[in-house]
Amino acid sequence: MNDRYDAGHSGDADDQYQLVGYDEYGRPVYQQVPQQQPHQQPYDPYAQQQPQQGYGYDPYAGQYPAQGYDPYDTGQQNPVPSYDPYGGAQGGAPAAPYDPYGQAATSAQQPRVAEQTAYIPQQAGPAETEEPGGRARPEAAERDYHTGQFSFVEEPDGDSEDVIDWLNFTENRTERREEAKRRARSRLVALVVVLALVAVGGVGYLWYAGKLPGLSSSSGSGTGTGTSAAAQNRDVIVVHLHNTKGGGTSTALLVDNTTTKQGTTVLLPNSLALTDDDGTTTTLAKSVEDDGSSGTRDAIDTVLGTQIQGTWRLDTPYLQNLVDLVGNIDVDTNTDVPDPAAKKKGTAPLVHKGKAQTLSGKTAVAYATYRAAGEAQNAQLERFGQVMQAVLRKLSSDAGAATTTVQTLAQILDPSLTDKDLGTFLAKLADLAKGGDYKTALLPVQADGTLSAQASDSVVKDVLGGTAKSPDKDAAVRVSVQNASGVKDNTEKARVVLLNGGFTFLEGGTASGTQATSKVVYADAADKENATEVAKTLGLPTSAVSKGRTTSNANVSVVLGQNYDPSS
């Protein structure tokens, strides 16, 4: 190898370089011999502009000879020494030997040096390695650089991608967990808000409907709404049940409170005192029989302060057909009802006492009109109310279907109430009855037919929204007449005579038996004179007048005996 390397330095090269030693690989190292410059050093434009480096890669090292490159050269070698970017001497100064391994190298070795250093990352040397004039500082040649002194940027290996993927996966999973937590919190907050709104709405509805325990309406009327009882809207129809076989009537008010969404059947006792058109006092039962629908309706409005929209006369045959049309009814019966057609004792009753008894049209009529011996009329009236509410529960809530049911009955209604009006009204009540927003209430009436304070508060004011106004007791002397003469027409004849005499007639009914003599009884000593006038008006002797017990709603009580002669 030394022979080959020496062969490249024959001839003139021997005069320019001299062997100074060998490097660690056994290669000879030459040093340029200083020569006398024949003339002044020419200007080199690149000598002052390019930064000086103590080592590194020269892109022109393998292309041009060590003597230097002249940009204006015409092909002739420039005898002036050129600028050496690797620390070569300028201006005839001896150049420090260069070797990539820390030794100086000759120009003949430069192509090989460039090949070796091409893979070494280069760093700019300090500017202090060159003195003014292009001469290298002595300490620059003494520097020894090693690859371990430099920092190299390592190429990313395959594991770095895995690390990035893992970091991305971890970050995405954490974000998903946080997002899931945020969604869960949002759902929880939304659920709490919904539950709070439902709770507030439920409490508000209970307060509005008057079903919240411990609270009442602001008006104090107990109607369950902030609107006063008088300002609430109500639709009212009066229904009269006529017993075509046994006689007598039963009256009830059907009330639809459209403000509170409550339905009520108000039962009116036959003893309720009313005032006729002529100002005389009579009973509800007598008014229904004598004055008909229009007169009785006006009298009820006056006493209760209501506004009735129509009258429904319901004879027992129509009630029977109505129950059959709705498909029977279920009633909690409170008594056994005997079969009127039974001829033998011990026959099974027509209606049995018990819970949820199924009644057909025939048995429903029997139960609604039944009044046992010694029972008050209110007992029979309450049975009628049970049947009516059971019918409403079975009636269709559709206005069209309910109207068809009414039309199928083929009954003659009051002119003020059409089939469509009655059907629509009953459908609304049927809807309330099915929903449990329906009740039955009995109007409390005192023995004299007037309304008690309880009636004024609990029924008249709260349910009907009216004001009780019973007839004035001092307006006329009230005379109660009971017929014990055995002649049915004597009651009517006595009524006409008393009304013509200026007295108020009160129906006392028919006695279970007859008695020979008539009686005129007064309870208050102040009514003794009135009792005497009643006896004279009826054609009875004054000896028939006596002090005793009268009915509570009458000033004078009369019992017509067999000695009563209407013609006298």
Side-chain angles (χ1 to χ4, degrees), residues 304-537:
L304 302 180
T306 58
Q307 186 175 359
I308 301 174
Q309 285 80 30
T311 300
W312 182 18
R313 173 168 177 157
L314 183 63
D315 293 348
T316 49
Y318 294 111
L319 176 60
Q320 179 176 338
N321 293 339
L322 179 60
V323 174
D324 292 335
L325 286 173
V326 299
N328 299 337
I329 59 176
D330 295 328
V331 178
D332 294 338
T333 57
N334 55 23
T335 187
D336 290 335
V337 178
D339 188 355
K343 298 181 180 180
K344 296 181 180 179
K345 293 183 179 182
T347 304
L350 183 63
V351 178
H352 292 274
K353 178 182 179 180
K355 294 284 187 180
Q357 295 294 311
T358 301
L359 304 181
S360 63
K362 179 181 178 180
T363 56
V365 169
Y367 183 76
T369 59
Y370 178 70
R371 180 180 178 182
E375 273 189 334
Q377 189 264 335
N378 289 347
Q380 174 269 320
L381 186 62
E382 290 176 349
R383 297 187 185 105
F384 170 55
Q386 287 181 283
V387 171
M388 287 302 300
Q389 186 166 346
V391 169
L392 291 174
R393 284 197 299 264
K394 292 297 294 290
L395 190 67
S396 175
S397 300
D398 180 72
T403 301
T404 301
T405 301
V406 172
Q407 292 172 344
T408 306
L409 293 177
Q411 62 181 336
I412 300 175
L413 299 175
D414 185 86
S416 62
L417 188 65
T418 64
D419 293 339
K420 183 178 180 180
D421 292 340
L422 180 59
T424 302
F425 178 79
L426 294 178
K428 293 179 181 179
L429 293 182
D431 185 60
L432 296 175
K434 291 181 177 67
D437 297 320
Y438 199 94
K439 63 182 179 180
T440 300
L442 176 66
L443 180 67
V445 176
Q446 298 182 103
D448 60 354
T450 59
L451 300 175
S452 64
Q454 180 184 2
S456 300
D457 293 337
S458 62
V459 178
V460 177
K461 183 179 180 180
D462 295 343
V463 178
L464 301 176
T467 303
K469 186 179 180 181
S470 295
D472 188 1
K473 296 181 180 180
D474 299 330
V477 178
R478 297 183 301 279
V479 180
S480 173
V481 178
Q482 183 181 39
N483 188 0
S485 64
V487 181
K488 185 177 181 179
D489 292 339
N490 285 344
T491 302
E492 180 62 20
K493 294 178 180 179
R495 187 183 76 87
V496 173
V497 171
L498 290 173
L499 290 177
N500 292 334
F503 298 99
T504 298
F505 176 82
L506 300 177
E507 175 67 52
T510 301
S512 57
T514 61
Q515 62 183 42
T517 59
S518 301
K519 295 181 180 179
V520 180
V521 181
Y522 63 93
D524 193 347
D527 291 326
K528 180 178 181 181
E529 184 178 354
N530 293 331
T532 303
E533 291 295 328
V534 169
K536 292 178 180 180
T537 302

Side-chain angles (χ1 to χ4, degrees), residues 519-523 531 542-550:
K519 295 181 180 179
V520 180
V521 181
Y522 63 93
T542 57
S543 58
V545 177
S546 63
K547 184 177 181 180
R549 184 177 180 181
T550 63

